[in-house]
Amino acid sequence: HWLAGRPYVFPLLMWAFQCACLFCCNYFNGGEFRFLFGESFAWLDEGWLRGALRWQIHFNMCLLRHISYGMELHWSRLRASSRTGVEENEKEIEKVPVGNAALTMSYEQSVKAPIHPSSFGALWHFVYVHYVPLYLAGPILPYTSFIQQVRQRVQVQPSTQIWKEVLMWCFYFLSIEISCHYFYVNFVVKADKLGSMAPPEMFMTLFILLCFMLGKFTVLFRFFRIWSLCDGVEVLENLKETIIFRPSLIRFWRVWHVSFHKWILRYMYIPLGGRQYQYILLWPIFVFVALWHDPCTVTWLQWGLMNGLACSAEIVWTLLILPHIARQFRGSAIWPFLQGTGYSSIGTIMVFVNLSHAGNSTSMLKAYTEMPLGDYLIIYLYFSLIFILYEIWHLDLANAVRGK
């Protein structure tokens, strides 16, 4: 706490310390006794003594909360470091609604609202990091929003809306259960059987696996969000829309884990320069996300670099090439075919890049490189046909709505 408010020193030390803790947590497998005291104490890591819930699995989420608390404390100290800063900070705090007036405060307002210095401390830090509904899988909630909602009890969704979300969650859960019963893609990946498949079969398995992961994380995120809403704390909804039929790597990362995306914007992207360096910041952000998943394996680092390269290519395509094609062909009969072919290209890249860490990456890479050109063309044409049919249907539906 005593270092907070010192420009450059505190953020660098805090980020370095948190990243070091993440690395040690993964390297020593959560601090097993055999690592700390030798093999003679390995029996303490086995059986019921190990526990049902390994804390190191969920330390990644705790890390984000630690950084959020630290950065908010640092910015609060910076605002109060000068005489004018103290006056402005007190005026901003006075504007924050309290009591019954706080019930009209929205989630976005609770994130941006300044908080009183008394809201920082060891007790509030512990409560925030270990808040039960969001402890296991999120969604991520900034410290400012958490403290405003807990202390002021800001407005949350009405009970009727929560019941609708419960019914939708039941539908998603049943859909995942049925799909797991008939599609064994998760078992195939866990059993490391991808390398023995023919390249077209491997690609289709990975595509179905990507759909399964979308559904699985939808069930997880919405379950804990509903739990949090029932407790009176509102969080962002992850995976608000599907990206299967309109694939885009950049939009994928905006809707896949919305709360994590907002966290990166608030604590990494904006402090490092924001829009001014957006194309450069793409790389360190993806490296951090990769190491956040697992800092002890090269596979995730490769995944992060591949995502950075793919997003850079998509930016070049979107800004430099696509506008010329759109001006020439938009509104013509060939435009849905061009859109479908483009979406097929992006969707193919999404499957290979985002699931490059699944299974044995070496055997998968070997299968990719040995795939005949004809198999590549069959896969590409198959997905192009799917996206073209979707675009034609979407265009007909839009025309029908407009009454054309």
Side-chain angles (χ1 to χ4, degrees), residues 235-293:
V235 293
L236 288 174
E237 182 180 353
N238 295 329
L239 286 168
K240 295 179 66 174
E241 57 180 296
T242 179
I243 43 83
I244 295 298
F245 287 107
R246 287 187 177 274
S248 167
L249 273 170
I250 296 175
R251 195 160 68 90
F252 175 84
W253 289 117
R254 290 175 179 170
V255 303
W256 167 264
H257 201 162
V258 178
S259 59
F260 192 21
H261 171 70
K262 296 286 186 180
W263 185 95
I264 289 175
L265 289 179
R266 184 171 179 83
Y267 301 111
M268 286 190 69
Y269 181 75
I270 295 176
L272 291 175
R275 186 178 295 273
Q276 185 179 359
Y277 305 103
Q278 57 179 324
Y279 304 122
I280 300 175
L281 293 177
L282 185 71
W283 295 94
I285 286 175
F286 268 116
V287 170
F288 169 76
V289 173
L291 297 179
W292 176 76
H293 281 88

Side-chain angles (χ1 to χ4, degrees), residues 354-396:
N354 285 302
L355 296 175
S356 59
H357 62 281
N360 190 331
S361 57
T362 305
S363 60
M364 289 171 60
L365 181 62
K366 181 179 179 182
Y368 294 158
T369 55
E370 293 179 355
M371 184 186 298
L373 180 60
D375 290 340
Y376 274 114
L377 292 176
I378 291 174
I379 293 173
Y380 186 78
L381 291 175
Y382 175 76
F383 274 89
S384 295
L385 178 61
I386 293 177
F387 288 116
I388 287 170
L389 291 175
Y390 175 78
E391 285 301 319
I392 293 175
W393 171 80
H394 188 267
L395 182 63
D396 291 342

Side-chain angles (χ1 to χ4, degrees), residues 198-348:
E201 295 174 345
M202 180 191 297
F203 184 87
M204 290 304 302
T205 302
L206 290 176
F207 180 76
I208 298 174
L209 179 63
L210 180 61
C211 299
F212 166 76
M213 290 175 64
L214 289 171
K216 179 186 75 171
F217 281 106
T218 299
V219 170
L220 285 174
F221 290 146
R222 298 201 177 186
F223 174 81
F224 292 110
R225 182 174 182 269
I226 292 170
W227 187 359
S228 178
L229 289 174
C230 292
D231 192 45
V233 176
E234 184 179 1
V235 293
L236 288 174
E237 182 180 353
N238 295 329
L239 286 168
K240 295 179 66 174
E241 57 180 296
T242 179
I243 43 83
I244 295 298
F245 287 107
R246 287 187 177 274
S248 167
L249 273 170
I250 296 175
R251 195 160 68 90
F252 175 84
W253 289 117
R254 290 175 179 170
V255 303
W256 167 264
H257 201 162
V258 178
S259 59
F260 192 21
H261 171 70
K262 296 286 186 180
W263 185 95
I264 289 175
L265 289 179
R266 184 171 179 83
Y267 301 111
M268 286 190 69
Y269 181 75
I270 295 176
L272 291 175
R275 186 178 295 273
Q276 185 179 359
Y277 305 103
Q278 57 179 324
Y279 304 122
I280 300 175
L281 293 177
L282 185 71
W283 295 94
I285 286 175
F286 268 116
V287 170
F288 169 76
V289 173
L291 297 179
W292 176 76
H293 281 88
D294 190 347
C296 298
T297 58
V298 183
T299 306
W300 277 103
L301 183 59
Q302 293 174 346
W303 168 88
L305 295 175
M306 289 173 65
N307 269 285
L309 182 62
C311 287
S312 300
E314 184 177 338
I315 290 172
V316 172
W317 167 263
T318 304
L319 296 180
L320 301 180
I321 302 175
L322 185 60
H324 299 285
I325 300 177
R327 279 197 300 268
Q328 187 172 359
F329 296 102
R330 186 184 294 274
S332 63
I334 199 176
W335 179 243
F337 294 88
L338 294 176
Q339 277 190 303
T341 306
Y343 286 141
S344 175
S345 303
I346 299 174
T348 305

